[in-house]
Amino acid sequence: MIDGAQRQRRRRRERVGDFLADLRFAARLLRSSLGFTLLAVACMGLGIGVTATILSVAHAILVRPLPYDRPEELVAVYSKAPERGIRASNISYADWRDHNRTFASLGMYTWWTLAFTDGAGDAERVDAAAVTANLFPLLGARPILGRTFTADEERSGAERVVLLGHGLWTQRFGGDSSVVGRAVQVDGMPHVVVGVMPRGFAFPDRERAWVPFIPDPNDGHGNRGNAGALGRLRLGVTLAAAQADLDVIMQRLERELPDQNLGWRADLMSLRDDRVGDLRRPLQVFLAAVGCVLLIVCANIANLLLVRGAAREREMAVRAAIGAGRRRLVRQLVVESLALAMLGGLVGLGVAAGGIRLFALAFPGGLPFDLTLRLDPASLAITAGITVLTGLVVGVIPALRATKLDLAGAFRERAAGSLRSRHAGRLRSGLVVLEVGLSATLVIGAMLLLKSYRAYTTSDLGFDQQGMLSVRITLPTARYQTPTERGTFFATLLERLAALPGVEAVGSADGLPFSGWDVKAGMSIEGKPPRPPHDPLDMHFLSVSPEYFRAIGVPLLGGRWVDQTDVGTVGDTGSWQPRGRVGIVNEVLARREFPNEDPVGKRIKFGDHTSSEPWITIVGVVGEFQHFRLPEPMGPAIYFPFSPRRAGTRRSRSAPPSTIRSP
């Protein structure tokens, strides 16, 4: 047994020694033909680097576990109205939370914007979120200082508290560990810091602070608002079972409150699918494209090695004549291709490092906190695997071909048109055909991509982007509590901005084009029959200031603009007195709903004809322009005069952005 073990160790040492000898010989050979080496390494490095970049990104987005406790149990929960093509968050999740049988826990969050000051510096606009107290335990997120929220802090009138993100803590407090318990100003109101979250945590997206989620009693049980629900499934419960569970709840709500819940259904998906969103399809396309690139590289290098193998035929014959078997010769040639691949892998590592940084630039607002693109161990393993695979692919076929020897023919001069040469030529021709086919596929795909990109960049957006500057403003609720105060602030602000030299127009709106504002509701038209449930009139809506359309360069097609009297005035008692409800509709609505008549003077209202909402008189029609996302066409929309009554409300403390146009 000892002799057998010694023989095995000796054989292993011999194999290692043979491999190192082959590697040294390969290094000398590659050094002697520097031009060939540099060309092959450059091709391999580019192919390996590009492939490793996309695979690393795909691994980070699609495979790498999310940074939560047992992330496979986490589920995003939404409401949707399939027949109307609407998918929104359900602002009232109490029914889901209290009556479900499949979730171990269900939490709620909504995006927020805070005016934050620590008492020693200027106020700062901070991206934040309002969350239920159970959300952090649900995620398994633990603060590094202090605590998270308690259930008592979710009720109106409770002590105001705030939880700081690591970045805000280090920026405003210098990482002071005694920050817990300190008083700060949030929206002009005193809050107490209760904790600090760890570095990198920013749920749900890029948030730097958190406040308790306090339900609005006016929300009822309807499907409105901008919020998200997150649940953790019970052990052994499938997504389909949870879907069926919430379907039962939604059907009950539809029966009990049909006006608010008719047609709405629960929509569940894994948290990973919710986070990945629309990235999955582009990544799959990129993976297919880089796979073609790598195959082209392999075919190209294999062709070079075939040509090189033909030139080394005599060398192989000599080595075979002095006793080297075909297996030994194949191993030598494969080691040479692996040496090339290792050099290409080092170059590809640099290409991948730069490519990953470049890919991150595709997210102008920054990457979500739970998505990190870097050369981590998984990325390095991917690069190493691609390197070895490339070396084997480009080396084995030429090695087998080069070691299929005719010793007698190898030592005599042979005509160029010999049978062996014709066989090698056919193999090289086949590789060339493969390269051309793959290259043609990539070129066609690239041309289609460029065509789509050109269509996007040259699309008529319907408004003038030149000379436009946008600003987003956050008003502290404590300082601007009444509509009169908010109205005075915005009226003064817009007046002063309009008086600046070079400013042509200044406008304000709930949301600017492509800012993410996408709110719509069902409406009815006076004098027209009620719409069937499967074909409701869903309209986008937002509030705009009188000069908004002039500021963005959208033309008036009929009727009149809204003016300051439509916005409202301050009455004798100091209260804000809005004028009668009026609105401007877009060309899409006028064309669809009033094809042969003038819509000016017609009236519409939220909900059906029996709703208690007031009628809104149409006073103008504006041209069609893109507000949401390309290539999605603009749907029917109505624009109300901007009312300061809505600015800085509990639902959204972030005031509408302003638009400034200059020559």
Side-chain angles (χ1 to χ4, degrees):
M1 294 297 294
I2 296 178
D3 292 341
Q6 289 177 344
R7 283 195 298 271
Q8 290 179 357
R9 286 195 295 270
R10 185 164 56 251
R11 281 197 294 268
R12 283 197 296 267
R13 285 196 298 268
E14 290 174 353
R15 294 193 194 99
V16 172
D18 290 342
F19 176 77
L20 293 177
D22 290 341
L23 195 59
R24 287 192 295 269
F25 180 78
R28 290 195 301 270
L29 192 65
L30 295 177
R31 190 167 57 247
S32 65
S33 52
L34 195 57
F36 166 81
T37 302
L38 292 177
L39 178 61
V41 168
C43 291
M44 281 191 176
L46 182 61
I48 291 172
V50 172
T51 307
T53 297
I54 301 301
L55 283 177
S56 298
V57 171
H59 177 270
I61 296 176
L62 304 177
V63 179
R64 184 187 298 157
L66 295 173
Y68 312 116
D69 286 352
R70 305 187 307 281
E72 68 280 357
E73 298 176 358
L74 297 177
V75 177
V77 188
Y78 296 95
S79 292
K80 66 176 181 179
E83 294 179 345
R84 286 177 278 175
I86 304 174
R87 183 172 177 272
S89 300
N90 192 315
I91 201 63
S92 177
Y93 79 112
D95 292 280
W96 289 349
R97 179 196 61 196
D98 297 338
H99 300 100
N100 82 85
R101 300 179 179 180
T102 51
F103 289 97
S105 181
L106 189 69
M108 202 77 177
Y109 62 89
T110 185
W111 294 266
W112 213 255
T113 303
L114 305 176
F116 181 89
T117 179
D118 55 10
D122 295 334
E124 177 183 0
R125 182 176 179 271
V126 174
D127 290 329
V131 301
T132 54
N134 66 338
L135 190 71
F136 293 109
L138 188 155
L139 292 170
R142 301 165 184 83
I144 57 174
L145 292 176
R147 62 172 177 84
T148 56
F149 303 135
T150 64
D152 290 338
E153 292 165 344
E154 293 182 21
R155 57 181 177 82
S156 180
E159 181 184 26
R160 295 183 177 91
V161 295
V162 61
L163 188 63
L164 303 180
H166 192 278
L168 186 61
W169 173 55
T170 55
Q171 174 191 343
R172 299 301 295 254
F173 301 96
D176 185 2
S177 59
S178 63
V179 69
V180 176
R182 184 176 300 185
V184 297
Q185 294 286 317
V186 175
D187 282 345
M189 301 292 291
H191 283 60
V192 176
V193 177
V194 296
V196 178
M197 296 304 291
R199 182 190 300 274
F201 183 84
F203 187 88
D205 194 4
R206 302 173 181 88
E207 282 61 38
R208 303 171 63 204
W210 297 266
V211 294
F213 182 93
I214 301 176
D216 190 332
N218 296 322
D219 287 333
H221 298 265
N223 295 282
R224 324 184 277 282
N226 184 23
L230 182 69
R232 180 176 292 279
L233 297 175
R234 296 181 185 274
L235 185 64
V237 173
T238 64
L239 194 64
Q243 177 73 64
D245 185 24
L246 292 191
D247 284 344
V248 173
I249 298 174
M250 294 299 290
Q251 290 167 7
R252 177 180 60 80
L253 288 175
E254 186 176 40
R255 291 192 302 270
E256 295 176 356
L257 298 166
D259 290 344
Q260 299 179 19
N261 295 285
L262 183 64
W264 288 88
R265 296 292 180 265
D267 184 21
L268 279 70
M269 66 182 68
S270 70
L271 182 59
R272 175 175 293 282
D273 289 341
D274 183 51
R275 303 295 285 178
V276 170
D278 296 333
L279 283 177
R280 187 179 300 275
R281 181 60 60 84
L283 280 176
Q284 292 172 344
V285 173
F286 279 134
L287 285 172
V290 298
C292 289
V293 170
L294 189 61
L295 286 175
I296 291 172
V297 169
C298 290
N300 196 14
I301 301 301
N303 235 334
L304 292 175
L305 291 177
L306 279 172
V307 174
R308 184 178 174 83
R312 297 175 62 187
E313 184 176 336
R314 284 180 176 272
E315 174 195 337
M316 295 295 106
V318 170
R319 297 184 65 183
I322 61 177
R326 189 183 185 191
R327 181 177 178 182
R328 182 70 178 81
L329 296 177
V330 169
R331 189 181 70 188
Q332 171 62 50
L333 294 176
V334 171
V335 168
E336 291 178 14
S337 66
L338 286 174
L340 274 176
M342 284 189 288
L343 293 174
L346 294 176
V347 175
L349 194 62
V351 173
I356 289 174
R357 286 194 293 269
L358 185 63
F359 199 92
L361 297 179
F363 300 84
L367 293 169
F369 84 98
D370 52 8
L371 175 59
T372 54
L373 302 182
R374 62 180 186 274
L375 276 177
D376 55 9
S379 301
L380 295 175
I382 289 171
T383 304
I386 295 173
T387 299
V388 173
L389 179 63
T390 304
L392 292 175
V393 169
V394 304
V396 170
I397 295 177
L400 292 175
R401 184 65 193 171
T403 56
K404 190 177 180 181
L405 297 171
D406 176 10
L407 294 182
F411 290 105
R412 66 175 182 265
E413 295 294 333
R414 295 188 301 168
S418 66
L419 181 62
R420 179 177 171 83
S421 298
R422 289 197 297 271
H423 287 171
R426 282 196 294 269
L427 181 56
R428 291 196 297 270
S429 297
L431 291 174
V432 170
V433 170
L434 176 63
E435 290 183 66
V436 172
L438 292 173
S439 299
T441 301
L442 286 178
V443 169
I444 293 172
M447 291 176 65
L448 293 174
L449 182 62
L450 288 174
K451 182 180 179 181
S452 299
Y453 177 75
R454 179 177 174 80
Y456 283 153
T457 56
T458 58
S459 296
D460 182 12
L461 302 180
F463 62 90
D464 186 6
Q465 306 173 68
Q466 298 299 320
M468 187 186 299
L469 174 67
S470 65
V471 180
R472 190 172 180 87
I473 302 169
T474 299
L475 292 181
T477 305
R479 183 174 177 182
Y480 300 94
Q481 296 184 9
T482 67
T484 300
E485 292 171 335
R486 293 192 289 271
T488 302
F489 172 85
F490 282 109
T492 304
L493 173 66
L494 297 180
E495 180 181 351
R496 291 182 179 180
L497 289 174
L500 293 175
V503 175
E504 292 183 356
V506 179
S508 180
D510 287 330
L512 299 180
F514 306 112
S515 65
W517 180 273
D518 187 0
V519 180
K520 56 184 176 180
M523 304 190 79
S524 302
I525 301 175
E526 186 180 28
K528 291 184 178 290
R531 303 289 288 264
H534 66 275
D535 184 29
L537 174 59
D538 289 315
M539 295 178 57
H540 300 283
F541 66 92
L542 73 159
S543 298
V544 300
S545 70
E547 289 289 303
Y548 172 72
F549 290 111
R550 180 168 171 244
I552 65 173
V554 174
L556 180 69
L557 303 181
R560 67 172 178 86
W561 297 115
V562 295
D563 54 33
Q564 195 61 41
T565 60
D566 294 316
V567 175
T569 59
V570 179
D572 296 335
T573 61
S575 62
W576 191 265
Q577 297 179 352
R579 192 182 172 187
R581 298 291 298 274
V582 299
I584 294 177
V585 298
N586 66 350
E587 186 181 5
V588 178
L589 176 72
R591 187 171 56 247
R592 292 185 186 179
E593 303 299 326
F594 306 97
N596 300 313
E597 53 185 324
D598 185 1
V600 175
K602 306 295 184 182
R603 298 201 304 173
I604 60 178
K605 69 187 313 186
F606 286 102
D608 59 23
H609 289 73
T610 62
S611 72
S612 59
E613 295 289 334
W615 287 102
I616 303 162
T617 302
I618 299 173
V619 298
V621 180
V622 294
E624 180 181 355
F625 67 98
Q626 284 290 344
H627 182 85
F628 305 106
R629 61 192 67 85
L630 291 172
E632 178 181 333
M634 181 65 179
I638 185 168
Y639 307 95
F640 303 114
F642 171 68
S643 172
R645 180 180 299 277
R646 300 180 64 246
T649 61
R650 182 67 175 89
R651 176 57 50 219
S652 176
R653 299 190 183 186
S654 175
S658 298
T659 301
I660 304 171
R661 176 169 298 284
S662 60

